[in-house]
mmCIF file of all heavy atoms in Angstrom:
data_model
loop_
_atom_site.group_PDB
_atom_site.id
_atom_site.type_symbol
_atom_site.label_atom_id
_atom_site.label_comp_id
_atom_site.label_asym_id
_atom_site.label_seq_id
_atom_site.Cartn_x
_atom_site.Cartn_y
_atom_site.Cartn_z
ATOM 1 N N GLN A 1 -117.314 98.769 93.812
ATOM 2 C CA GLN A 1 -116.580 97.536 93.536
ATOM 3 C C GLN A 1 -116.244 96.835 94.895
ATOM 4 O O GLN A 1 -116.164 97.509 95.939
ATOM 5 C CB GLN A 1 -115.297 97.844 92.758
ATOM 6 C CG GLN A 1 -115.588 98.202 91.332
ATOM 7 C CD GLN A 1 -114.319 98.146 90.485
ATOM 8 O OE1 GLN A 1 -113.254 98.560 90.919
ATOM 9 N NE2 GLN A 1 -114.452 97.627 89.243
ATOM 10 N N ALA A 2 -116.062 95.559 94.796
ATOM 11 C CA ALA A 2 -115.648 94.776 95.979
ATOM 12 C C ALA A 2 -114.411 95.386 96.595
ATOM 13 O O ALA A 2 -113.497 95.809 95.911
ATOM 14 C CB ALA A 2 -115.421 93.332 95.597
ATOM 15 N N GLY A 3 -114.415 95.484 97.916
ATOM 16 C CA GLY A 3 -113.365 96.100 98.645
ATOM 17 C C GLY A 3 -113.583 97.563 98.935
ATOM 18 O O GLY A 3 -112.828 98.148 99.741
ATOM 19 N N GLY A 4 -114.555 98.139 98.321
ATOM 20 C CA GLY A 4 -114.868 99.541 98.482
ATOM 21 C C GLY A 4 -115.714 99.813 99.740
ATOM 22 O O GLY A 4 -116.006 98.932 100.502
ATOM 23 N N SER A 5 -116.103 101.089 99.894
ATOM 24 C CA SER A 5 -116.834 101.565 101.047
ATOM 25 C C SER A 5 -117.977 102.432 100.636
ATOM 26 O O SER A 5 -117.960 103.090 99.595
ATOM 27 C CB SER A 5 -115.905 102.396 101.994
ATOM 28 O OG SER A 5 -114.794 101.637 102.434
ATOM 29 N N LEU A 6 -119.008 102.392 101.526
ATOM 30 C CA LEU A 6 -120.156 103.303 101.365
ATOM 31 C C LEU A 6 -120.613 103.683 102.779
ATOM 32 O O LEU A 6 -120.423 102.884 103.732
ATOM 33 C CB LEU A 6 -121.306 102.595 100.635
ATOM 34 C CG LEU A 6 -121.287 102.499 99.133
ATOM 35 C CD1 LEU A 6 -122.462 101.675 98.613
ATOM 36 C CD2 LEU A 6 -121.303 103.873 98.482
ATOM 37 N N ARG A 7 -121.209 104.876 102.868
ATOM 38 C CA ARG A 7 -121.789 105.263 104.149
ATOM 39 C C ARG A 7 -123.264 105.582 103.933
ATOM 40 O O ARG A 7 -123.592 106.486 103.098
ATOM 41 C CB ARG A 7 -121.119 106.503 104.671
ATOM 42 C CG ARG A 7 -121.520 106.949 106.064
ATOM 43 C CD ARG A 7 -121.074 108.343 106.353
ATOM 44 N NE ARG A 7 -121.076 108.644 107.773
ATOM 45 C CZ ARG A 7 -121.148 109.909 108.289
ATOM 46 N NH1 ARG A 7 -121.180 110.918 107.402
ATOM 47 N NH2 ARG A 7 -121.113 110.063 109.567
ATOM 48 N N LEU A 8 -124.103 104.848 104.601
ATOM 49 C CA LEU A 8 -125.538 105.115 104.547
ATOM 50 C C LEU A 8 -125.946 106.007 105.685
ATOM 51 O O LEU A 8 -125.371 105.934 106.798
ATOM 52 C CB LEU A 8 -126.277 103.762 104.674
ATOM 53 C CG LEU A 8 -125.920 102.654 103.661
ATOM 54 C CD1 LEU A 8 -126.839 101.425 103.861
ATOM 55 C CD2 LEU A 8 -125.990 103.129 102.236
ATOM 56 N N SER A 9 -126.954 106.810 105.455
ATOM 57 C CA SER A 9 -127.520 107.638 106.524
ATOM 58 C C SER A 9 -129.015 107.383 106.578
ATOM 59 O O SER A 9 -129.661 107.006 105.600
ATOM 60 C CB SER A 9 -127.211 109.095 106.256
ATOM 61 O OG SER A 9 -127.879 109.554 105.101
ATOM 62 N N CYS A 10 -129.569 107.635 107.760
ATOM 63 C CA CYS A 10 -131.007 107.473 107.977
ATOM 64 C C CYS A 10 -131.458 108.670 108.820
ATOM 65 O O CYS A 10 -131.169 108.800 110.027
ATOM 66 C CB CYS A 10 -131.296 106.200 108.740
ATOM 67 S SG CYS A 10 -132.988 106.028 109.309
ATOM 68 N N GLU A 11 -132.141 109.600 108.165
ATOM 69 C CA GLU A 11 -132.673 110.782 108.820
ATOM 70 C C GLU A 11 -134.059 110.525 109.354
ATOM 71 O O GLU A 11 -134.925 110.089 108.608
ATOM 72 C CB GLU A 11 -132.679 111.962 107.887
ATOM 73 C CG GLU A 11 -133.071 113.300 108.581
ATOM 74 C CD GLU A 11 -132.924 114.471 107.601
ATOM 75 O OE1 GLU A 11 -132.406 114.277 106.532
ATOM 76 O OE2 GLU A 11 -133.481 115.516 107.953
ATOM 77 N N ALA A 12 -134.248 110.747 110.628
ATOM 78 C CA ALA A 12 -135.506 110.493 111.342
ATOM 79 C C ALA A 12 -136.254 111.796 111.642
ATOM 80 O O ALA A 12 -135.651 112.797 111.941
ATOM 81 C CB ALA A 12 -135.263 109.681 112.603
ATOM 82 N N SER A 13 -137.580 111.684 111.609
ATOM 83 C CA SER A 13 -138.405 112.824 112.014
ATOM 84 C C SER A 13 -139.718 112.336 112.585
ATOM 85 O O SER A 13 -140.101 111.183 112.339
ATOM 86 C CB SER A 13 -138.654 113.770 110.854
ATOM 87 O OG SER A 13 -139.336 113.093 109.793
ATOM 88 N N GLY A 14 -140.418 113.160 113.344
ATOM 89 C CA GLY A 14 -141.746 112.846 113.829
ATOM 90 C C GLY A 14 -141.761 112.215 115.149
ATOM 91 O O GLY A 14 -142.832 111.809 115.624
ATOM 92 N N TYR A 15 -140.597 112.021 115.790
ATOM 93 C CA TYR A 15 -140.567 111.462 117.140
ATOM 94 C C TYR A 15 -139.243 111.877 117.776
ATOM 95 O O TYR A 15 -138.366 112.466 117.146
ATOM 96 C CB TYR A 15 -140.678 109.919 117.106
ATOM 97 C CG TYR A 15 -139.466 109.225 116.530
ATOM 98 C CD1 TYR A 15 -138.561 108.581 117.402
ATOM 99 C CD2 TYR A 15 -139.213 109.158 115.167
ATOM 100 C CE1 TYR A 15 -137.465 107.937 116.904
ATOM 101 C CE2 TYR A 15 -138.121 108.509 114.651
ATOM 102 C CZ TYR A 15 -137.248 107.845 115.537
ATOM 103 O OH TYR A 15 -136.113 107.234 115.029
ATOM 104 N N LYS A 16 -139.100 111.527 119.095
ATOM 105 C CA LYS A 16 -137.871 111.914 119.808
ATOM 106 C C LYS A 16 -136.810 110.859 119.502
ATOM 107 O O LYS A 16 -136.697 109.861 120.157
ATOM 108 C CB LYS A 16 -138.111 111.970 121.265
ATOM 109 C CG LYS A 16 -136.972 112.495 122.104
ATOM 110 C CD LYS A 16 -137.306 112.659 123.579
ATOM 111 C CE LYS A 16 -136.120 113.218 124.357
ATOM 112 N NZ LYS A 16 -136.399 113.352 125.745
ATOM 113 N N PHE A 17 -135.991 111.184 118.492
ATOM 114 C CA PHE A 17 -135.014 110.251 117.992
ATOM 115 C C PHE A 17 -134.063 109.762 119.067
ATOM 116 O O PHE A 17 -133.708 108.564 119.117
ATOM 117 C CB PHE A 17 -134.167 110.935 116.884
ATOM 118 C CG PHE A 17 -133.053 110.110 116.301
ATOM 119 C CD1 PHE A 17 -133.304 109.128 115.376
ATOM 120 C CD2 PHE A 17 -131.749 110.388 116.665
ATOM 121 C CE1 PHE A 17 -132.299 108.398 114.808
ATOM 122 C CE2 PHE A 17 -130.690 109.636 116.143
ATOM 123 C CZ PHE A 17 -130.970 108.626 115.225
ATOM 124 N N SER A 18 -133.649 110.626 119.981
ATOM 125 C CA SER A 18 -132.633 110.246 121.024
ATOM 126 C C SER A 18 -133.165 109.268 122.036
ATOM 127 O O SER A 18 -132.373 108.749 122.854
ATOM 128 C CB SER A 18 -132.193 111.539 121.702
ATOM 129 O OG SER A 18 -133.228 112.191 122.323
ATOM 130 N N ALA A 19 -134.445 108.969 122.040
ATOM 131 C CA ALA A 19 -135.025 108.090 123.052
ATOM 132 C C ALA A 19 -135.183 106.684 122.612
ATOM 133 O O ALA A 19 -135.596 105.801 123.420
ATOM 134 C CB ALA A 19 -136.361 108.636 123.473
ATOM 135 N N TYR A 20 -134.810 106.300 121.374
ATOM 136 C CA TYR A 20 -135.040 104.983 120.848
ATOM 137 C C TYR A 20 -133.785 104.393 120.194
ATOM 138 O O TYR A 20 -133.021 105.089 119.577
ATOM 139 C CB TYR A 20 -136.159 105.010 119.838
ATOM 140 C CG TYR A 20 -137.494 105.436 120.421
ATOM 141 C CD1 TYR A 20 -137.875 106.769 120.517
ATOM 142 C CD2 TYR A 20 -138.376 104.445 120.917
ATOM 143 C CE1 TYR A 20 -139.092 107.123 121.065
ATOM 144 C CE2 TYR A 20 -139.553 104.807 121.487
ATOM 145 C CZ TYR A 20 -139.868 106.149 121.552
ATOM 146 O OH TYR A 20 -141.114 106.504 122.166
ATOM 147 N N ALA A 21 -133.654 103.089 120.348
ATOM 148 C CA ALA A 21 -132.636 102.365 119.631
ATOM 149 C C ALA A 21 -132.938 102.419 118.151
ATOM 150 O O ALA A 21 -134.105 102.568 117.727
ATOM 151 C CB ALA A 21 -132.561 100.967 120.121
ATOM 152 N N MET A 22 -131.904 102.211 117.335
ATOM 153 C CA MET A 22 -132.058 102.194 115.861
ATOM 154 C C MET A 22 -131.323 100.955 115.317
ATOM 155 O O MET A 22 -130.420 100.418 115.973
ATOM 156 C CB MET A 22 -131.454 103.431 115.247
ATOM 157 C CG MET A 22 -132.201 104.732 115.555
ATOM 158 S SD MET A 22 -133.867 104.773 114.832
ATOM 159 C CE MET A 22 -133.459 104.852 113.068
ATOM 160 N N ALA A 23 -131.727 100.560 114.144
ATOM 161 C CA ALA A 23 -131.051 99.392 113.558
ATOM 162 C C ALA A 23 -131.056 99.500 112.019
ATOM 163 O O ALA A 23 -131.751 100.314 111.436
ATOM 164 C CB ALA A 23 -131.805 98.114 113.952
ATOM 165 N N TRP A 24 -130.204 98.699 111.445
ATOM 166 C CA TRP A 24 -130.113 98.529 110.000
ATOM 167 C C TRP A 24 -130.414 97.043 109.724
ATOM 168 O O TRP A 24 -129.845 96.159 110.363
ATOM 169 C CB TRP A 24 -128.743 98.931 109.427
ATOM 170 C CG TRP A 24 -128.500 100.395 109.492
ATOM 171 C CD1 TRP A 24 -127.889 101.077 110.491
ATOM 172 C CD2 TRP A 24 -128.870 101.336 108.490
ATOM 173 N NE1 TRP A 24 -127.845 102.404 110.157
ATOM 174 C CE2 TRP A 24 -128.403 102.597 108.898
ATOM 175 C CE3 TRP A 24 -129.462 101.276 107.229
ATOM 176 C CZ2 TRP A 24 -128.566 103.773 108.187
ATOM 177 C CZ3 TRP A 24 -129.636 102.419 106.482
ATOM 178 C CH2 TRP A 24 -129.184 103.641 106.947
ATOM 179 N N PHE A 25 -131.210 96.794 108.729
ATOM 180 C CA PHE A 25 -131.484 95.475 108.172
ATOM 181 C C PHE A 25 -131.230 95.536 106.669
ATOM 182 O O PHE A 25 -131.121 96.601 106.085
ATOM 183 C CB PHE A 25 -132.964 95.069 108.427
ATOM 184 C CG PHE A 25 -133.286 94.699 109.816
ATOM 185 C CD1 PHE A 25 -133.333 95.677 110.839
ATOM 186 C CD2 PHE A 25 -133.535 93.380 110.210
ATOM 187 C CE1 PHE A 25 -133.663 95.321 112.128
ATOM 188 C CE2 PHE A 25 -133.816 93.038 111.476
ATOM 189 C CZ PHE A 25 -133.890 93.986 112.467
ATOM 190 N N ARG A 26 -131.252 94.377 106.068
ATOM 191 C CA ARG A 26 -131.067 94.326 104.598
ATOM 192 C C ARG A 26 -131.872 93.177 104.017
ATOM 193 O O ARG A 26 -132.121 92.176 104.748
ATOM 194 C CB ARG A 26 -129.609 94.219 104.201
ATOM 195 C CG ARG A 26 -128.899 92.930 104.547
ATOM 196 C CD ARG A 26 -127.443 92.961 104.248
ATOM 197 N NE ARG A 26 -126.799 91.690 104.429
ATOM 198 C CZ ARG A 26 -125.463 91.513 104.365
ATOM 199 N NH1 ARG A 26 -124.621 92.530 104.082
ATOM 200 N NH2 ARG A 26 -124.954 90.298 104.554
ATOM 201 N N ARG A 27 -132.211 93.282 102.759
ATOM 202 C CA ARG A 27 -132.926 92.178 102.108
ATOM 203 C C ARG A 27 -132.432 92.070 100.656
ATOM 204 O O ARG A 27 -132.296 93.077 99.983
ATOM 205 C CB ARG A 27 -134.422 92.451 102.106
ATOM 206 C CG ARG A 27 -135.229 91.386 101.365
ATOM 207 C CD ARG A 27 -136.647 91.347 101.854
ATOM 208 N NE ARG A 27 -137.336 92.585 101.782
ATOM 209 C CZ ARG A 27 -138.458 92.905 102.365
ATOM 210 N NH1 ARG A 27 -139.057 92.023 103.123
ATOM 211 N NH2 ARG A 27 -139.017 94.060 102.206
ATOM 212 N N THR A 28 -132.222 90.797 100.267
ATOM 213 C CA THR A 28 -131.920 90.516 98.891
ATOM 214 C C THR A 28 -133.100 89.798 98.321
ATOM 215 O O THR A 28 -133.890 89.169 99.018
ATOM 216 C CB THR A 28 -130.657 89.643 98.768
ATOM 217 O OG1 THR A 28 -130.833 88.472 99.612
ATOM 218 C CG2 THR A 28 -129.443 90.368 99.248
ATOM 219 N N PRO A 29 -133.306 89.876 96.989
ATOM 220 C CA PRO A 29 -134.456 89.258 96.345
ATOM 221 C C PRO A 29 -134.536 87.776 96.688
ATOM 222 O O PRO A 29 -133.558 87.017 96.640
ATOM 223 C CB PRO A 29 -134.252 89.487 94.833
ATOM 224 C CG PRO A 29 -133.394 90.711 94.804
ATOM 225 C CD PRO A 29 -132.514 90.674 96.003
ATOM 226 N N GLY A 30 -135.737 87.306 97.060
ATOM 227 C CA GLY A 30 -135.933 85.921 97.361
ATOM 228 C C GLY A 30 -135.524 85.437 98.783
ATOM 229 O O GLY A 30 -135.656 84.329 99.121
ATOM 230 N N ARG A 31 -135.063 86.440 99.589
ATOM 231 C CA ARG A 31 -134.634 86.117 100.921
ATOM 232 C C ARG A 31 -135.384 86.982 101.924
ATOM 233 O O ARG A 31 -135.893 88.033 101.639
ATOM 234 C CB ARG A 31 -133.142 86.301 101.104
ATOM 235 C CG ARG A 31 -132.320 85.432 100.201
ATOM 236 C CD ARG A 31 -130.851 85.536 100.494
ATOM 237 N NE ARG A 31 -130.488 85.169 101.847
ATOM 238 C CZ ARG A 31 -129.292 85.166 102.311
ATOM 239 N NH1 ARG A 31 -128.272 85.478 101.572
ATOM 240 N NH2 ARG A 31 -129.052 84.771 103.612
ATOM 241 N N GLU A 32 -135.401 86.466 103.165
ATOM 242 C CA GLU A 32 -135.958 87.234 104.257
ATOM 243 C C GLU A 32 -135.095 88.438 104.554
ATOM 244 O O GLU A 32 -133.870 88.420 104.383
ATOM 245 C CB GLU A 32 -136.107 86.349 105.494
ATOM 246 C CG GLU A 32 -137.037 85.180 105.362
ATOM 247 C CD GLU A 32 -138.528 85.608 105.359
ATOM 248 O OE1 GLU A 32 -138.871 86.576 106.011
ATOM 249 O OE2 GLU A 32 -139.250 84.979 104.552
ATOM 250 N N ARG A 33 -135.747 89.479 105.144
ATOM 251 C CA ARG A 33 -134.951 90.603 105.573
ATOM 252 C C ARG A 33 -134.099 90.157 106.758
ATOM 253 O O ARG A 33 -134.566 89.399 107.650
ATOM 254 C CB ARG A 33 -135.876 91.742 105.963
ATOM 255 C CG ARG A 33 -135.166 93.009 106.289
ATOM 256 C CD ARG A 33 -136.032 94.234 106.084
ATOM 257 N NE ARG A 33 -137.366 94.124 106.788
ATOM 258 C CZ ARG A 33 -138.358 95.030 106.618
ATOM 259 N NH1 ARG A 33 -138.138 96.055 105.840
ATOM 260 N NH2 ARG A 33 -139.464 94.816 107.266
ATOM 261 N N GLU A 34 -132.832 90.566 106.793
ATOM 262 C CA GLU A 34 -131.940 90.084 107.850
ATOM 263 C C GLU A 34 -131.290 91.256 108.596
ATOM 264 O O GLU A 34 -131.086 92.335 108.052
ATOM 265 C CB GLU A 34 -130.806 89.201 107.268
ATOM 266 C CG GLU A 34 -129.928 89.855 106.239
ATOM 267 C CD GLU A 34 -128.870 88.897 105.659
ATOM 268 O OE1 GLU A 34 -129.003 87.650 105.902
ATOM 269 O OE2 GLU A 34 -127.976 89.399 105.004
ATOM 270 N N PHE A 35 -131.029 90.998 109.864
ATOM 271 C CA PHE A 35 -130.426 91.982 110.725
ATOM 272 C C PHE A 35 -128.960 92.281 110.299
ATOM 273 O O PHE A 35 -128.242 91.383 109.912
ATOM 274 C CB PHE A 35 -130.422 91.431 112.182
ATOM 275 C CG PHE A 35 -129.662 92.248 113.148
ATOM 276 C CD1 PHE A 35 -130.221 93.404 113.727
ATOM 277 C CD2 PHE A 35 -128.407 91.844 113.591
ATOM 278 C CE1 PHE A 35 -129.504 94.148 114.612
ATOM 279 C CE2 PHE A 35 -127.682 92.590 114.503
ATOM 280 C CZ PHE A 35 -128.228 93.734 114.998
ATOM 281 N N VAL A 36 -128.604 93.555 110.418
ATOM 282 C CA VAL A 36 -127.265 93.967 110.118
ATOM 283 C C VAL A 36 -126.594 94.521 111.387
ATOM 284 O O VAL A 36 -125.513 94.061 111.785
ATOM 285 C CB VAL A 36 -127.197 95.029 109.008
ATOM 286 C CG1 VAL A 36 -125.795 95.549 108.811
ATOM 287 C CG2 VAL A 36 -127.758 94.435 107.712
ATOM 288 N N ALA A 37 -127.188 95.541 111.939
ATOM 289 C CA ALA A 37 -126.588 96.164 113.145
ATOM 290 C C ALA A 37 -127.619 96.952 113.888
ATOM 291 O O ALA A 37 -128.628 97.414 113.305
ATOM 292 C CB ALA A 37 -125.413 97.095 112.752
ATOM 293 N N SER A 38 -127.415 97.159 115.175
ATOM 294 C CA SER A 38 -128.336 97.987 115.975
ATOM 295 C C SER A 38 -127.516 98.811 117.004
ATOM 296 O O SER A 38 -126.394 98.418 117.374
ATOM 297 C CB SER A 38 -129.374 97.164 116.739
ATOM 298 O OG SER A 38 -128.750 96.257 117.579
ATOM 299 N N MET A 39 -128.139 99.861 117.531
ATOM 300 C CA MET A 39 -127.431 100.719 118.466
ATOM 301 C C MET A 39 -128.472 101.272 119.461
ATOM 302 O O MET A 39 -129.527 101.670 119.074
ATOM 303 C CB MET A 39 -126.693 101.856 117.782
ATOM 304 C CG MET A 39 -126.016 102.848 118.671
ATOM 305 S SD MET A 39 -124.912 103.939 117.825
ATOM 306 C CE MET A 39 -123.415 102.941 117.997
ATOM 307 N N TYR A 40 -128.060 101.287 120.742
ATOM 308 C CA TYR A 40 -128.915 101.884 121.791
ATOM 309 C C TYR A 40 -129.178 103.364 121.561
ATOM 310 O O TYR A 40 -128.468 104.014 120.788
ATOM 311 C CB TYR A 40 -128.203 101.765 123.124
ATOM 312 C CG TYR A 40 -128.485 100.477 123.894
ATOM 313 C CD1 TYR A 40 -128.846 99.316 123.234
ATOM 314 C CD2 TYR A 40 -128.362 100.392 125.287
ATOM 315 C CE1 TYR A 40 -129.098 98.148 123.923
ATOM 316 C CE2 TYR A 40 -128.536 99.224 126.010
ATOM 317 C CZ TYR A 40 -128.949 98.129 125.304
ATOM 318 O OH TYR A 40 -129.168 96.963 125.981
ATOM 319 N N TRP A 41 -130.163 103.871 122.275
ATOM 320 C CA TRP A 41 -130.501 105.272 122.186
ATOM 321 C C TRP A 41 -129.361 106.255 122.393
ATOM 322 O O TRP A 41 -129.302 107.283 121.699
ATOM 323 C CB TRP A 41 -131.582 105.596 123.237
ATOM 324 C CG TRP A 41 -131.099 105.465 124.614
ATOM 325 C CD1 TRP A 41 -130.884 104.331 125.344
ATOM 326 C CD2 TRP A 41 -130.665 106.547 125.474
ATOM 327 N NE1 TRP A 41 -130.373 104.627 126.601
ATOM 328 C CE2 TRP A 41 -130.239 105.979 126.724
ATOM 329 C CE3 TRP A 41 -130.646 107.916 125.344
ATOM 330 C CZ2 TRP A 41 -129.795 106.754 127.799
ATOM 331 C CZ3 TRP A 41 -130.176 108.708 126.384
ATOM 332 C CH2 TRP A 41 -129.743 108.115 127.594
ATOM 333 N N ASN A 42 -128.410 105.944 123.230
ATOM 334 C CA ASN A 42 -127.309 106.824 123.560
ATOM 335 C C ASN A 42 -126.010 106.405 122.902
ATOM 336 O O ASN A 42 -124.975 106.940 123.229
ATOM 337 C CB ASN A 42 -127.169 106.902 125.050
ATOM 338 C CG ASN A 42 -126.854 105.512 125.681
ATOM 339 O OD1 ASN A 42 -126.781 104.504 124.948
ATOM 340 N ND2 ASN A 42 -126.622 105.490 126.967
ATOM 341 N N GLY A 43 -126.066 105.377 121.996
ATOM 342 C CA GLY A 43 -124.826 104.946 121.383
ATOM 343 C C GLY A 43 -123.926 104.047 122.244
ATOM 344 O O GLY A 43 -122.806 103.748 121.786
ATOM 345 N N ALA A 44 -124.383 103.688 123.403
ATOM 346 C CA ALA A 44 -123.532 103.002 124.334
ATOM 347 C C ALA A 44 -123.341 101.502 123.932
ATOM 348 O O ALA A 44 -122.302 100.955 124.192
ATOM 349 C CB ALA A 44 -124.130 103.044 125.711
ATOM 350 N N ASN A 45 -124.296 100.941 123.350
ATOM 351 C CA ASN A 45 -124.208 99.498 122.941
ATOM 352 C C ASN A 45 -124.512 99.341 121.419
ATOM 353 O O ASN A 45 -125.476 99.963 120.949
ATOM 354 C CB ASN A 45 -125.209 98.663 123.728
ATOM 355 C CG ASN A 45 -124.843 98.549 125.141
ATOM 356 O OD1 ASN A 45 -124.651 99.523 125.858
ATOM 357 N ND2 ASN A 45 -124.698 97.323 125.651
#
């Protein structure tokens, strides 16, 4: 419901996860995929 919370996770495999930035995007029907958030390899930015 509106006002609530959720926590998404993304488990990675097949490469050195700690060496690459990661991001979250989202898409709703009929719209382009849009940026949500990103983070550097070390969590600094």
Side-chain angles (χ1 to χ4, degrees):
Q1 288 195 319
S5 299
L6 280 174
R7 187 195 198 203
L8 306 183
S9 65
C10 171
E11 185 175 348
S13 62
Y15 71 102
K16 188 176 181 181
F17 178 77
S18 59
Y20 296 89
M22 293 293 294
W24 290 92
F25 285 73
R26 69 186 186 187
R27 177 157 56 196
T28 55
R31 297 185 62 178
E32 297 289 323
R33 188 157 49 187
E34 61 183 13
F35 171 78
V36 175
S38 63
M39 174 167 273
Y40 271 25
W41 66 282
N42 60 357
N45 290 56

